Amino acid sequence: MIVVARKPEPPAAPAVTTVVPADIRGTVKDEQGNPVPGVSVGVVGTARGTITDAQGAFVLRANAGETLKFSILGYKPYTVQVGTDNTLNVVLHPEASAISEVVVVGYGTQKKSQLIGSVSQINAEKVNNRTVPQLSNALTGQMPGVTVIQRSGRPGAAGGEIQVRGVGSFGAGPGALILVDGIPVNSFNDVNPNDVEAVSVLKDASSAAIYGARAANGVILITTKSGSATGKLKVNYNGYVGTQKPTALPQSVNSWEFAQAMNEAVPGSYSEAEIQQFKDGSNPDNYPNSNFYKDFFKPYGIQTGHNISLANGNQISQYQLSFGYIRQNGIVARNSYDRYNVRLNLLTNITRKLKLTTRIASSLSTTNEPAPPATLDFNNMLDMIGQVVRYSPIYPIRMSNGDWGVGINGKGTPVSNLESESFYKEKGIDLNGNLRLDWNVVEGLKLSAVGGGYINYGDNKRFLASQYLNNITTLGPSTLTQGNRNSNYKTMQALAEYNKRLDKHSFTVLGGYSFEEFVIDSVSAFRRNFPGNTLTSINLGSADGQTNDGGAAAWALSSFFGRLQYNFNSKYFAEGVLRYDGSSRFPATKKYAFFPAMALGWRISEEPFMKDNVKWVDELKVKASRGTLGNQNIANYGWQNIMNAGTKYNYSFGDQVATGVTLVDLADPTLRWESTRSTDVGVDFTLLRGLLTGSATYFDKYTYDILVSPGGSVSRVLGFNVGVKNSGKLKNTGWEFTLGHRNTVGKFSYNIDANFSIINNKVLDVGVGNVLQPNGLIGNVGNAGSPLFIGYPVNLYYGYVADGLFVDAGEGASWPDQSALGSQKKPGDIRYKDISGPDGKPDGKITPAYDRVVLGSRIPRYTFGLNLGGKYRSFDLNVLMQGVAGVKGYLEGYAGIALNNTATVQRWQFDERWTPENPDRNAKYPRMELVPNTGTGNTVQSSYWMLNGSYLRIKNIQLGYSLSPAAIRRIGIDGLRVSLAAENLFTFSRYRKGWDPEVNTGGAYYPILRNYTLGINVSF
């Protein structure tokens, strides 16, 4: 049988799907919705790639399923798998360690690698966790060339004095220009530190000249936080509570020791029996041993701060909303400071090319302070503390019958003054904000309009109460002084910025115009004799003797400015800045001035000879700048002869009181801008793959046409005060160094950042104050209470050179005559050197004309800071140390002199004094003597009383613990950190015992405070 079968067909070939590459298009933006140009976009595992353009846009051919990687310096790398959608929009987030790679400068930002101006910046992590009530104190020791001196710990007024590269003027105000989010403000101490993203200080002409009108003393830029396009609400709480106490507090001797000192000054002042009663306390009404420090100051104060922020956003809008509260209870009863902050930063992308940025902030502060009762010759808390420094322990605080002790002048003691119902209360409300509209017209061109300003309102009330001391003495009548002030500032700015890249050439051009106006008015009123200490409304006081006063002032600025930046292949850089300012504070013919600047930079590390041969150098850049900056910080009407009005100028005409006006100051109608010519040369480097970073900069600031009143050089027979003139020249030169190291070893990471500055301040010309003094110095001895001499710094001390103490009666007879100083040349008195005389050589007489010299300055020559940080597993530790050197301090009046106008004797004065039993020529305190208000031969300013103001302070130390990621996931939060911190922990110095080296005072002061806090930070 034959079988015929169909031949089986071969198996079908498997189906083949052809993958067609597609063009993937998209944009890359940052968290704020700004395009990020220059981002490298590559297909992982292939050679295909591209770079985003100026608008952050890219086009790249890729297959579905392939992975794209986006990377650029300063941002975290981002990868995404290609799907079916050909459009891809990416948001890049900054590296936590790379925030500082972008530096905030005037009207914009720059990459640190391309920055050729002299700018110092600290970011949020160095500010947010600090438990300081005033933002300025968080800057101390953190930036080279920026000196922050804290003279007081007074709640609400403990902000530091900021000097940028020395004191830039001895006439016009030397303060830096401060801007918060691009808007000038008087102070940034009311800004919540938790809101700060970055603080930049512009120090040289090229970086600061864009603000020419007020940039001569540096520019401080505060940038606050913004929301991000995460699509998820982020909530963060940061709070702390702690105690605070003085870093140093003087100590008085016991009453029997005071009696012993009095017997040395005036033999027979106290008998042995009286001294024994001081010791045994048998008669406390007449022979007490009072401790005014203990009874006046509290052992500690409480400080607490709380901040909560909410942030969210998408591609259309992002916001950051924060609320803050701080309360600081002082170390004096009824002394406190409260501040509430609220801030909203909102970014809205109206269209693809139109963006609106809105920033609104407000603060409400209240300061409460005690005040003394009525009829005393002082009326404030600081003078009350001065009385504590003054009072000796021989005055009873409370009598045995419960009455108050009446003290030195029959009006009570510092403790009874504190217990009165007197008070001072001050309220302040600040509302500030700005709107910025950015229009990206075409690629590279952006037009912006900015409008902003602030409104400030404040009122104060000082009530001096009547007070019962005993059945004989009741202080009164009560008085009330009340006042308020209103100020407002507004600005309008128009900006145009154009960026263009042609092959290896990059250009950025900025042009703009701004107008600024400030107006302030104030009013005050006074009444006395209120019906009771609880009825303090001003209408309840007696109309008899009532007064009122007020005033108003205004100024305006109109400015044009421009900046051109060029770089070739990110290797060679050039920048030019020009600002044309007009100020209402100068006459029409001198109103406007040009302030130009230029800078050059070279990234040597980008040269082939460096890249190929010096592998351990990552970054090496040299830079130089030169330019002129201006200063207009004088009175608003300095060039006009203004008639002053007010109650003190009123006069009687018949039986009526008529309003009077008078000319007080003679003005100079030719006033012009004070100017500073600044030269800057520096080098920045990064070595060993980022292990070591640093910089070195030399600067030279020459200030001329200084705006100063030469009153000390004009005879008082003129009959008028002399107004401001352009008179004088000043120079600040110096060096700034930074050095940083950071590394990770296993699970331990650490960082070390140090900065060191040398500042030399020198007066070159005092103008009309160039008076040849008998001792050969040229200058003005009596200028504004601080002498000025050519060749020496400002803020100086001027006096005699001490040569130890007389140790016996015989040597006084052979020593030069010191009678012109009021010296008796007794054993234990200060000996002064005979420096010169009329013939230019010692003449056997110590006189003010020939024997005084410059003793030192209050300006530190050296400033330094060291920031140490470490992290191991969940623990982190940060330590900030800072200090100054080459500076003098001085304690005068009650603070430095024993028995001064009935003052007490401090412990150090008693223990280190000269006595016949301790005839030490080099004793730290001369013999005890009664010192009247006019002083004695021992209390004239001399090298004997000059103190070494150098110190090293552990400014901040903080230990933190963060929950592990596994732990926070279990409890449903994003993060939790607890911390222990201390501010002003230890100070190492050779200053007087009981005194902080930053304090120069005659006794009326508020001690600088140390605080210890427990904090917690929670994020959701």
Side-chain angles (χ1 to χ4, degrees), residues 193-241:
N194 289 278
D195 290 338
V196 174
E197 179 67 33
V199 179
S200 294
V201 180
L202 316 183
K203 297 181 289 186
D204 73 324
S206 68
S207 62
I210 199 74
Y211 297 109
R214 290 169 286 170
N217 298 304
V219 180
I220 301 174
L221 305 178
I222 311 296
T223 304
T224 60
K225 295 176 181 177
S226 298
S228 57
T230 61
K232 176 187 175 184
L233 176 64
K234 292 184 177 180
V235 181
N236 182 271
Y237 167 78
N238 189 20
Y240 67 87
V241 63

Side-chain angles (χ1 to χ4, degrees), residues 100-168:
S100 58
E101 297 297 331
V102 177
V103 178
V104 178
V105 296
Y107 299 100
T109 60
Q110 283 185 257
K111 292 181 180 179
K112 190 174 182 180
S113 61
Q114 299 181 1
L115 180 68
I116 55 176
S118 188
V119 180
S120 292
Q121 178 170 295
I122 59 174
N123 55 32
E125 66 181 12
K126 293 186 177 181
V127 177
N128 295 167
N129 289 327
R130 295 289 297 278
T131 57
V132 289
Q134 313 260 264
L135 180 57
S136 59
N137 292 326
L139 309 185
T140 306
Q142 303 232 47
M143 291 181 280
V146 180
T147 304
V148 183
I149 303 173
Q150 185 182 358
R151 299 294 189 192
S152 172
R154 184 180 182 183
E161 302 172 8
I162 301 177
Q163 299 169 2
V164 178
R165 290 183 168 177
V167 176

Side-chain angles (χ1 to χ4, degrees), residues 606-891:
E606 294 300 297
E607 297 290 354
F609 66 82
M610 286 290 293
K611 277 189 170 183
D612 299 337
N613 300 299
V614 190
K615 301 294 186 181
W616 52 274
V617 175
D618 308 321
E619 179 78 25
L620 180 61
K621 179 176 60 183
V622 294
K623 55 187 182 179
S625 68
R626 184 176 176 85
T628 302
L629 307 168
N631 190 349
Q632 58 128 30
N633 294 336
I634 58 172
N636 293 313
Y637 312 105
W639 61 277
Q640 303 173 68
N641 286 317
I642 299 296
M643 304 298 287
N644 286 20
T647 55
K648 62 183 176 181
Y649 304 116
N650 292 349
Y651 61 95
S652 297
F653 189 80
D655 58 352
Q656 300 292 321
V657 176
T659 300
V661 295
T662 186
L663 179 65
V664 177
D665 299 318
L666 291 181
D668 179 2
T670 65
L671 278 186
R672 58 189 180 275
W673 289 84
E674 176 178 303
S675 300
T676 296
R677 188 166 63 239
S678 174
T679 304
D680 196 273
V681 180
V683 57
D684 299 334
F685 59 85
T686 303
L687 311 176
L688 304 174
R689 298 185 182 276
L691 287 177
L692 196 64
T693 60
S695 66
T697 305
Y698 173 78
F699 64 88
D700 184 322
K701 290 172 57 179
Y702 168 64
T703 304
Y704 56 95
D705 287 341
I706 291 178
L707 293 161
V708 63
S709 175
S713 304
V714 179
S715 172
R716 293 191 179 277
V717 299
L718 180 65
F720 297 96
N721 297 326
V722 180
V724 174
K725 295 181 63 66
N726 293 100
S727 180
K729 300 177 178 131
L730 177 70
K731 196 169 206 179
N732 287 276
T733 61
W735 290 86
E736 297 171 356
F737 303 96
T738 66
L739 190 63
H741 169 61
R742 56 200 64 231
N743 196 14
T744 299
V745 180
K747 295 182 179 180
F748 175 66
S749 60
Y750 65 92
N751 65 275
I752 304 170
D753 295 290
N755 66 80
F756 179 74
S757 303
I758 304 171
I759 298 174
N760 299 298
N761 178 275
K762 184 187 293 186
V763 174
L764 302 179
D765 186 5
V766 191
V768 295
N770 284 343
V771 178
L772 178 62
Q773 303 296 325
N775 60 3
L777 295 177
I778 299 176
N780 187 345
V781 176
N783 187 76
S786 180
L788 293 170
F789 296 116
I790 292 177
Y792 293 93
V794 300
N795 295 350
L796 56 79
Y797 296 110
Y798 182 60
Y800 303 91
V801 179
D803 189 21
L805 305 174
F806 294 106
V807 296
D808 58 59
E811 68 174 322
S814 60
W815 197 260
D817 181 10
Q818 299 183 171
S819 60
L821 280 61
S823 173
Q824 302 176 46
K825 295 196 294 186
K826 290 183 177 181
D829 282 346
I830 301 174
R831 303 192 314 181
Y832 299 104
K833 288 185 178 181
D834 185 4
I835 303 298
S836 186
D839 298 329
K841 57 185 179 181
D843 61 349
K845 298 178 181 178
I846 312 297
T847 62
Y850 295 102
D851 296 298
R852 287 189 290 177
V853 301
V854 173
L855 302 173
S857 172
R858 294 186 292 277
I859 302 175
R861 187 178 184 194
Y862 309 102
T863 62
F864 46 88
L866 179 63
N867 209 323
L868 306 174
K871 185 174 183 180
Y872 180 74
R873 294 182 182 272
S874 296
F875 290 93
D876 62 88
L877 176 66
N878 290 280
V879 180
L880 172 63
M881 294 184 284
Q882 61 86 209
V884 300
V887 60
K888 293 295 183 181
Y890 179 51
L891 298 173

